[in-house]
Amino acid sequence: MSKKNYSLSNDCVFHIVFGREETKNNLLYLINAVFAEIGVQQIVHVTIMDSKDYGTALLDKSVVYDIKAKTSNDELVNIEIQLENKDNYIGRSYYYLSKIHGNQLVIGSKYKQIKTSYGISFLNFVIFKDFPEITHNFIPTHTIYKNCVLKENQMVYVEMPKVQAINKNSAAIEKLVYLLNNANQMEDDMANDIVFEDPALNQIYQDYRKVTENREFMALLEAKEKFRRDAEAEKDFVEARGKAEGKAEGKAERDQVIVQSMHAEG
């Protein structure tokens, strides 16, 4: 059995706990927790959609979303869990949102059929250091008349490191983030009671436990992570070797120029 203690914020674990048909009630809770924070109407059910988007043109960049879903109001939602701040994540998240928003219609569809799209990112790092809130919602807004907004697509970032503790008055999103952060190390008895007294959060935790107790899946997860680490190490080695060879080549060229100059002067 795997000895590594994987958290609920691991992208593979997260996908299984929230992104499958049999666990879609967990996803319903997650979306409603976010919607409550940004003032959007609660939904009553959710449909999980194909998370792969290969594009429609030969040169389109393909995308694999962590979770793609449709709400009971026919709105589209892309949910991502991001552990590291790299590869221009904000730009990538907007690219994902534009993909799901722009691919709503098929030939013959009417533009009035376009529904609001949401991009929701749970971040294991802090981008907006100057603001204490954990949830940040971005909507296209008039540059002069700030009350004039276009809500057809909205980008939401949830900064998980900002949730260090919870209490009975904590919002649903804070309790959920606490569980995402601590499911693999539930050591605070008071916080645990707060989580477990909520049937929905308790179900999320139980589903997490089922995943981490699945020996076959955990072995595959460890193999995947080992492959990723080996690939990154190989990439670093190739880059370092390339830099070293470049320096050596440059030095050889400089030495050659110096020798030629000396001969010319002689």
Side-chain angles (χ1 to χ4, degrees), residues 136-194:
H136 306 274
N137 187 28
F138 293 87
I139 308 173
T141 304
H142 197 292
T143 57
I144 299 175
Y145 305 105
K146 303 302 181 183
N147 291 329
C148 180
V149 298
L150 303 177
K151 295 187 176 182
E152 278 68 20
N153 57 74
Q154 302 187 35
M155 180 61 71
V156 184
Y157 299 100
V158 181
E159 298 178 309
M160 298 194 298
K162 289 183 178 178
V163 178
Q164 297 295 321
I166 56 174
N167 56 56
K168 291 185 179 297
N169 296 321
S170 296
I173 189 66
E174 294 175 299
K175 295 176 182 178
L176 174 62
V177 169
Y178 178 86
L179 184 57
L180 290 173
N181 288 337
N182 298 284
N184 61 328
Q185 49 184 14
M186 300 290 278
E187 299 172 352
D188 186 330
D189 291 338
M190 184 181 74
N192 295 353
D193 290 342
I194 293 171

Side-chain angles (χ1 to χ4, degrees), residues 27-91:
L27 181 61
L28 179 66
Y29 182 92
L30 180 150
I31 292 174
N32 276 333
V34 173
F35 279 6
E37 288 297 297
I38 63 176
V40 173
Q41 179 184 351
Q42 299 286 279
I43 60 175
V44 295
H45 66 79
V46 63
T47 302
I48 295 175
M49 304 177 69
D50 187 357
S51 62
K52 299 180 181 66
D53 184 342
Y54 297 109
T56 57
L58 181 63
L59 297 180
D60 278 356
K61 181 176 176 60
S62 61
V63 168
V64 179
Y65 309 105
D66 283 346
I67 298 173
K68 180 182 177 183
K70 179 180 288 188
T71 74
S72 48
N73 299 323
D74 287 334
E75 301 158 327
L76 293 177
V77 184
N78 165 227
I79 298 166
E80 300 292 323
I81 185 87
Q82 183 69 17
L83 301 184
E84 299 178 11
N85 186 12
K86 63 179 183 179
D87 299 331
N88 185 18
Y89 183 72
I90 289 182

